[in-house]
Amino acid sequence: MSKNKLNSHYPAAVDDVNAGPFADIQKRLDDIQDSGMTALAIRNILFQKMLDLHAVPDDHFLRSESTPERLDDPSLIAKLNDLGFYRASSRVMH
C-alpha cells in the first residue's frame, strides 16, 4: 500500500453468512457518501425518518429541533412516547 493512498475507504466486510443484507446497506451508504452527502446529513435524514415512523406531524416542534447526537439513545424514544408518539408498526419500509 502506498503512503500517498488515502486509507479512508474500506470495503464492507462481513463474517456471517446471514449478514448479506448488512453488506448491501453498507455499500449503499458508502455510495451515498462517495456522491458527496456527509454523515451528518445522513443522520439528519434518519432522525426525520424516525419521527415519520412515530407519526410525528410535520409542524411539530420536534421537527425543527437539532438532531440528537445519538439516534439510538433510549431517552429519545422515551421522549417520543411521553409526548404520545409511538412507532406505528413493524412493517418493512422500502
Side-chain angles (χ1 to χ4, degrees), residues 8-44:
S8 61
H9 181 314
Y10 296 97
V14 293
D15 59 357
D16 184 347
V17 71
N18 297 323
F22 297 112
D24 183 50
I25 290 170
Q26 182 63 54
K27 174 154 181 17
R28 289 181 188 189
L29 287 172
D30 289 343
D31 292 343
I32 289 169
Q33 284 188 298
D34 290 345
S35 72
M37 184 174 280
T38 65
L40 183 60
I42 294 170
R43 190 168 50 122
N44 292 339

Side-chain angles (χ1 to χ4, degrees), residues 40 43-44 47 50 65-71 73 76:
L40 183 60
R43 190 168 50 122
N44 292 339
F47 176 62
M50 176 188 282
E65 283 190 351
S66 61
T67 302
E69 286 294 318
R70 293 193 49 180
L71 296 180
D73 185 353
L76 180 57

Side-chain angles (χ1 to χ4, degrees), residues 28 49 53 91-94:
R28 289 181 188 189
K49 188 64 179 173
L53 290 173
R91 66 182 179 186
V92 175
M93 301 299 285
H94 295 280

